[in-house]
């Protein structure tokens, strides 16, 4: 028979293994939850505050993907060591899974103590980690929730609050921390409702496209249109794309919505005279998801539209990540004959360098510069530089958001070829755009 001493050791070992994360030796989610339950009970009994901090590494996935899983494991071990050095004896630090960690901080003056701890944790991960030759720099984002003296929060609620705060911390840029607040909660609920409504709208086919004319600045002729998403949200009314595209991007819904827009825009353009083009906006997220190229091909095939008549509008966000793959997709689209336009040029990170890096067919000068033409010298200088540089590279320019004759005149002087803006037509339903085409064809005949 097994001596009792050995049996006891084996049982101890087994219960340790069941409660700890093997890689880092830290308590696992199960043990963390037990401790949090105890801590909450004590906090309630003694009317003491308690803070929960949820941590998520900022660039862990990058390290794992580029340097491999072994390096990822080493990184997690080093991170665990550094975090352990920062927390107190009375705190519980656990690894919840993946690159997620969490801390229970009882018996401390709150929120000051959680605030100070968060700063120390972030500082502890600032220095790069040696992974045996490779150095990796990860940071950490932290969400904090607390039980105040009233001790009302329950365990699930507390973890949900900390997670929400973490989400907000990530959104506010990496390497930061946030406390949960009811305001945050309200925003989250709104966002969830929006996501649910977007799904319904997609399933029911509630989206529409509006078409805004693009006009040749010399002749005044309509050259084509940009397709812009429109959504009448039940109970809310017209929702501008700026208010729902970002949620569609975060949830992946932009994939099917974007595919629908491509199909619909190509189908509509087939009813127009042959020389007119249709511009469709494509989100950076669509480029990162598989199947964008196929979606374009399928939209062209099912509508029968000549590829040369389709223009894909991208923003600099497309060029910011996974450049090789993105460039390959852009080249494949171009080799079909599809045109590529750089949207919102001059904003965000876009630079003249992008014009050299990739041969666009068209550059769209952002509304923010056009708006100041006539009253701001630097806007003028920028427009002149963009038009000059584009021409040198054989790229056409179109100005967005043209509202006044003064702006149009200045753009003409600088050699800009095309314009789009309220002065020439607001985004309008398909029928209205077709009517406009008929009217302008009649004027041309007179
Ligand atoms: P964008 O592609 O830069 O589109 C131009 C925006 O400027 C449109 O806003 C248009 O209505 C507005 N605009 C045009 N002329 C004028 C003007 O003279 N004055 C002013 N003040 N505004 C003008 P909209 O339709 O609200 O769209 C906003 C953004 O949403 C678009 O910016 C685009 O980035 C995005 N978007 C729209 N449709 C789609 C889509 O189908 N897919 C994707 N991924 N994004 C889309
Ligand atoms: Mg656009
Ligand atoms: Mg734009």
């Amino acid at each position: 028979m097994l001596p009792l001493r050995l049996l006891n050791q084996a049982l101890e070992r087994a219960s340790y293994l069941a409660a700890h994360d093997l890689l880092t030796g830290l308590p696992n989610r199960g043990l963390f939850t037990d401790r949090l339950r105890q801590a909450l009970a004590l906090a309630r009994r003694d009317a003491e505050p308690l803070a929960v901090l949820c941590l998520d590494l900022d660039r862990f996935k990058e390290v794992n993907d580029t340097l491999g899983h072994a390096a990822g494991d080493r990184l997690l071990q080093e991170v665990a060591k550094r975090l352990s050095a920062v927390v107190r004896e009375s705190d519980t630090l656990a690894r919840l899974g993946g690159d997620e960690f969490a801390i229970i901080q009882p018996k401390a003056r709150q929120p000051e103590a959680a605030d100070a701890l968060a700063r120390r944790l972030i500082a502890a991960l600032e220095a790069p980690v040696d992974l045996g030759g490779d150095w990796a720099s990860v940071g950490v984002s932290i969400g904090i929730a607390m039980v105040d003296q009233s001790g009302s929060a329950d365990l699930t609620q507390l973890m949900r609050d900390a997670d929400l705060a973490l989400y907000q911390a990530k959104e506010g840029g990496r390497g930061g921390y946030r406390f949960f607040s009811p305001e945050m909660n309200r925003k989250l609920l709104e966002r969830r409702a929006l996501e649910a409504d977007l799904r319904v709208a997609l399933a029911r086919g509630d989206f529409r496209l509006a078409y805004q004319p693009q006009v040749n600045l010399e002749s005044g002729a309509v050259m084509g249109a940009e397709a812009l998403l429109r959504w009448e949200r039940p109970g809310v009314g017209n929702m501008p794309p700026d208010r729902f595209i970002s949620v569609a991007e975060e949830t992946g819904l932009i994939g099917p919505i974007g595919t629908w827009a491509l199909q619909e825009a190509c189908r509509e353009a087939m009813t127009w005279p042959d020389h007119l083009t249709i511009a469709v906006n494509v989100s950076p997220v669509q480029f990162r998801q598989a199947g964008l190229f196929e979606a374009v091909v399928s939209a062209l095939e099912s509508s029968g539209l000549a590829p040369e008549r389709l223009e894909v509008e991208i923003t600099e966000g497309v060029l910011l990540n996974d450049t090789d793959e993105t460039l390959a997709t852009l080249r494949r689209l171009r080799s079909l004959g599809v045109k590529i336009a750089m949207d919102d040029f001059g904003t965000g990170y876009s630079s003249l360098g992008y014009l050299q890096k990739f041969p666009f067919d068209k550059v769209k000068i952002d509304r923010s510069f056009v708006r100041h033409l006539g009253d701001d010298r630097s806007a003028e200088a920028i427009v002149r530089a963009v038009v000059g540089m584009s021409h040198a590279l054989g790229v056409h320019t179109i100005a967005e958001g043209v509202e006044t004759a003064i702006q149009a005149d200045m753009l003409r002087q600088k050699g800009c070829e095309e314009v789009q803006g309220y002065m020439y037509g607001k985004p309008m339903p398909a029928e209205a755009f077709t009517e406009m085409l008929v009217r302008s064809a009649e004027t041309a005949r007179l």
Side-chain angles (χ1 to χ4, degrees):
M1 236 186 31
L2 204 61
L4 202 55
R5 185 177 50 84
L6 284 184
L7 184 64
N8 270 337
Q9 275 178 4
L11 286 175
E12 259 175 40
R13 180 81 191 136
S15 72
Y16 175 87
L17 289 178
H20 289 80
D21 165 47
L22 292 187
L23 184 66
T24 59
L26 294 178
N28 62 17
R29 190 184 284 272
L31 182 54
F32 177 84
T33 311
D34 279 349
R35 296 248 180 105
L36 182 56
R37 199 171 286 122
Q38 284 170 18
L40 271 170
L42 285 178
R44 255 179 235 130
R45 195 195 66 189
D46 302 337
E48 275 182 356
L50 169 86
V52 172
L53 294 82
C54 281
L55 287 68
D56 189 281
L57 301 184
D58 289 335
R59 280 170 294 269
F60 179 70
K61 197 178 169 312
E62 274 166 58
V63 174
N64 221 27
D65 289 351
T66 50
L67 301 179
H69 288 288
D73 283 355
R74 279 184 74 161
L75 179 65
L76 287 170
Q77 287 170 329
E78 174 64 22
V79 165
K81 220 194 290 171
R82 290 192 193 177
L83 297 179
S84 306
V86 170
V87 296
R88 293 233 190 106
E89 195 86 345
S90 52
D91 301 342
T92 296
L93 166 67
R95 178 173 173 226
L96 301 187
D99 61 344
E100 278 175 71
F101 297 82
I103 296 169
I104 306 167
Q105 189 186 39
K107 296 189 189 306
R109 224 164 72 88
Q110 299 292 9
E112 294 83 356
D115 188 78
L117 178 57
R119 284 166 200 264
R120 289 202 306 272
L121 292 164
I122 288 167
L125 293 191
E126 251 161 25
V129 177
D130 182 3
L131 297 172
D134 290 306
W135 287 82
S137 225
V138 288
V140 64
S141 299
I142 304 174
I144 307 166
M146 25 221 333
V147 180
D148 55 16
Q149 264 76 357
S150 70
S152 59
D154 70 1
L155 190 144
T156 325
Q157 186 65 43
L158 200 58
M159 289 307 286
R160 207 186 288 142
D161 291 353
D163 257 341
L164 181 56
L166 173 60
Y167 175 81
Q168 297 276 334
K170 289 249 169 209
E171 275 210 326
R174 295 157 159 186
Y177 65 100
R178 289 282 168 87
F179 282 88
F180 170 82
S181 70
E183 164 74 356
M184 262 161 76
N185 198 30
R186 193 182 53 76
K187 277 197 192 145
L188 180 85
L189 291 179
E190 261 176 33
R191 194 183 159 284
R192 283 207 194 126
L194 178 57
E195 182 185 339
D197 286 359
L198 279 173
R199 285 186 197 281
V200 172
L202 185 63
R204 283 206 311 221
D206 284 350
F207 294 110
R208 295 284 173 271
L209 289 180
Y211 299 87
Q212 186 176 34
Q214 299 185 325
V215 174
N216 180 292
L217 197 44
E218 278 309 318
S219 68
V222 176
M223 310 301 287
E226 175 177 7
L228 294 158
L229 262 178
R230 293 293 176 262
W231 178 33
E232 198 66 33
R233 185 178 179 193
V236 178
N238 179 41
M239 285 282 283
D242 287 337
R243 281 186 49 202
F244 66 83
I245 296 260
S246 62
V247 173
E249 287 177 336
E250 284 164 28
T251 53
L253 285 170
I254 193 68
I257 295 175
T259 300
W260 173 82
L262 277 164
Q263 293 273 353
E264 176 67 12
C266 290
R267 198 187 54 71
E268 185 61 34
M270 266 310 273
T271 68
W272 305 341
D274 283 349
H275 65 281
L276 296 186
T277 57
I278 176 72
V280 180
N281 293 283
V282 173
S283 143
V285 177
Q286 287 171 270
F287 268 86
R288 262 174 266 145
Q289 294 174 339
L292 173 64
F293 180 79
E294 290 72 16
V296 171
V297 171
S298 141
L300 290 171
E301 277 175 359
S302 62
S303 62
L305 190 79
E308 293 72 23
R309 295 181 59 194
L310 174 63
E311 196 171 276
V312 165
E313 289 195 5
I314 62 169
T315 51
E316 71 278 358
V318 169
L319 300 175
L320 278 181
N321 19 24
D322 314 323
T323 318
D324 287 346
E325 237 175 276
T326 304
L327 285 186
T329 307
L330 286 172
R331 293 219 165 87
R332 281 172 80 201
L333 287 173
R334 266 193 130 220
S335 67
L336 285 180
V338 172
K339 303 274 188 296
I340 312 287
M342 173 99 231
D343 204 352
D344 305 338
F345 193 79
T347 61
Y349 303 92
S350 62
S351 72
L352 292 173
Y354 283 140
L355 295 183
Q356 272 176 317
K357 196 160 157 195
F358 186 79
F360 295 102
D361 299 281
K362 217 188 230 184
V363 163
K364 300 192 79 177
I365 302 170
D366 191 67
R367 189 165 83 222
S368 53
F369 301 108
V370 175
R371 193 190 313 147
H372 292 294
L373 284 180
D375 63 46
D376 177 350
R377 282 288 167 87
S378 63
E380 260 175 67
I382 289 168
V383 170
R384 189 178 300 116
V386 173
V387 173
M389 175 92 173
S390 302
H391 286 178
L393 294 165
V395 178
H396 278 264
T397 50
I398 177 168
E400 297 187 79
V402 181
E403 294 182 357
T404 69
I406 298 174
Q407 292 164 351
D409 281 343
M410 301 203 74
L411 287 161
R412 195 177 295 115
Q413 275 167 30
K414 294 181 176 47
C416 180
E417 290 93 355
E418 276 182 52
V419 279
Q420 180 183 340
Y422 293 171
M423 190 179 153
Y424 302 91
K426 290 197 170 180
M428 55 188 97
E431 310 76 57
F433 181 68
T434 308
E435 275 167 31
M436 179 182 176
L437 290 177
V438 173
R439 255 184 288 121
S440 72
E442 278 165 2
T443 338
R445 261 202 302 279
L446 290 176

